[in-house]
Amino acid sequence: MTPPGTARAADPERATLDKAAAENFPVAPFFLPRAWRSDLMAVYGFARLVDDIGDGDLAPGDADAALLGVSPGQAHDRLLLLDALESDLRRVFDGTPRHPLLRRLQPVVRRRALTPEPFLALIAANRQDQLVTRYETYDDLLAYCELSANPVGRLVLAVTGTASPERVRRSDAVCTALQIVEHLQDVAEDLGRDRIYLPAEDMKRFHVQEADLAAPTAGASLRALIAFEAERARALLREGDPLVSSVQGRLRLLLAGFVAGGRAALDAIAAAEFDVLPGPPRPGKLTLLREAGVTLRGEG
């Protein structure tokens, strides 16, 4: 019997796509048209590969590095891997890419007339993760989300043929909110990677030290800080909420799921009394369904 690690190394494309089931928010749910599901999974494959490189979470065996033309001796150099991925991305638009996930993406790019910018932004965000581990201000964090989160929503709108300046603006608000929610859930995990996404100016305001983030449970000051950032995320979701009612049909269900997922996660954080250190607070399925109904009715 082939060991699981060996199987993942032998098929890095499948190893990456299989991670979709574990994501916080649905990547390509069953109710979408098959063509949309296929194209969104191709976009997801690229975004997941970028994040896995940036986080050092590639499948064992250096198969992805080899596919990108990086030698085994350099396979753990994340910046070099990101450079190689960018070169392969450019081949998506004017050549033949090497990595199977980018070969899967190429017909989607052509069919949907996608541009390089959102894909390049995702790579830039992961480069930033290698070089920047602290954010001084909330505006600095928003600028990071512009690279790391907002391109995903823009790609969803582009794949579904529904992009407009107003929808992009609303989508950016939702995506930034979801990124902040994920940061709040993952404070302890991020600290383990020597990354802190709570703005330093806010930590000072609430008298929170970096050492406080390594405690088993959050003290009163950290809970107050998490509550403050959670309200910022909730305000962004309110700003983006009209995006849902601006579209119809199955896309409306998908976008409602994104907004509802963010709200339900914030409710879970609040239910944990803003103590995110023991583990990421996660909403249950009933809470998600209830929030989706509220969002679809425009009552959020």
Side-chain angles (χ1 to χ4, degrees):
M1 181 175 179
T2 304
T6 303
R8 288 195 300 272
D11 190 358
E13 179 185 18
R14 176 45 50 194
T16 299
L17 294 174
D18 283 348
K19 294 181 181 181
E23 294 292 338
N24 273 349
F25 306 101
V27 174
F30 70 92
F31 56 77
L32 291 180
R34 180 177 298 177
W36 283 7
R37 292 202 312 271
S38 175
D39 289 358
L40 289 173
M41 280 300 295
V43 169
Y44 168 81
F46 173 84
R48 184 70 264 169
L49 178 61
V50 179
D51 282 351
D52 283 350
I53 290 174
D55 290 339
D57 289 338
L58 291 175
D62 301 332
D64 290 292
L67 287 166
L68 293 171
V70 175
S71 68
Q74 298 175 305
H76 301 292
D77 185 331
R78 298 180 192 180
L79 287 171
L80 183 64
L81 285 168
L82 290 169
D83 288 345
L85 180 61
E86 180 174 334
S87 295
D88 213 29
L89 172 66
R90 295 194 184 279
R91 285 188 282 272
V92 168
F93 291 88
D94 61 11
T96 303
R98 296 172 173 171
H99 198 289
L101 286 169
L102 278 78
R103 290 199 295 271
R104 174 188 286 257
L105 181 64
Q106 188 171 50
V108 179
V109 162
R110 292 173 175 171
R111 184 163 53 248
R112 305 295 183 181
L114 304 181
T115 63
E117 286 74 20
F119 301 104
L120 290 169
L122 294 173
I123 294 175
N126 277 272
R127 279 202 189 97
Q128 187 164 315
D129 275 335
Q130 311 313 308
L131 304 171
V132 180
T133 60
R134 308 290 189 275
Y135 290 85
E136 180 61 32
T137 69
Y138 182 61
D139 285 344
D140 292 338
L141 184 64
L142 292 181
Y144 169 73
C145 293
E146 179 71 21
L147 298 173
S148 67
N150 298 359
V152 176
R154 295 182 180 204
L155 284 166
V156 170
L157 293 176
V159 165
T160 57
T162 54
S164 71
E166 178 65 11
R167 285 181 179 142
V168 166
R169 185 177 73 82
R170 301 287 188 182
S171 171
D172 286 353
V174 171
C175 290
T176 291
L178 296 180
Q179 180 77 86
I180 291 172
V181 169
E182 186 173 336
H183 289 160
L184 296 180
Q185 290 175 312
D186 294 340
V187 168
E189 179 182 335
D190 289 335
L191 185 67
R193 300 180 189 270
D194 191 31
R195 296 175 186 169
I196 296 176
Y197 295 102
L198 298 169
E201 65 177 8
D202 297 341
M203 291 177 65
K204 293 173 187 175
R205 174 181 172 185
F206 284 88
H207 307 290
V208 172
Q209 306 293 322
E210 288 195 12
D212 298 330
L213 308 183
T217 60
S221 294
L222 178 54
R223 293 182 192 223
L225 172 58
I226 297 297
F228 175 73
E229 305 297 352
E231 181 50 41
R232 279 177 155 170
R234 201 175 289 276
L236 284 167
L237 287 175
R238 286 194 294 268
E239 181 183 339
D241 186 66
L243 174 66
V244 176
S245 59
S246 77
V247 299
Q248 299 298 321
R250 301 182 207 184
L251 179 58
R252 187 172 182 180
L253 289 176
L254 177 67
L255 299 183
F258 290 150
V259 174
R263 286 181 175 147
L266 288 170
D267 289 345
I269 291 171
E273 298 181 334
F274 303 101
D275 184 3
V276 296
L277 297 186
R282 305 288 188 197
K285 289 185 178 179
L286 286 177
T287 302
L288 283 168
L289 289 172
R290 184 178 65 249
E291 287 292 344
V294 168
T295 302
L296 285 167
R297 293 193 298 270
E299 298 172 0

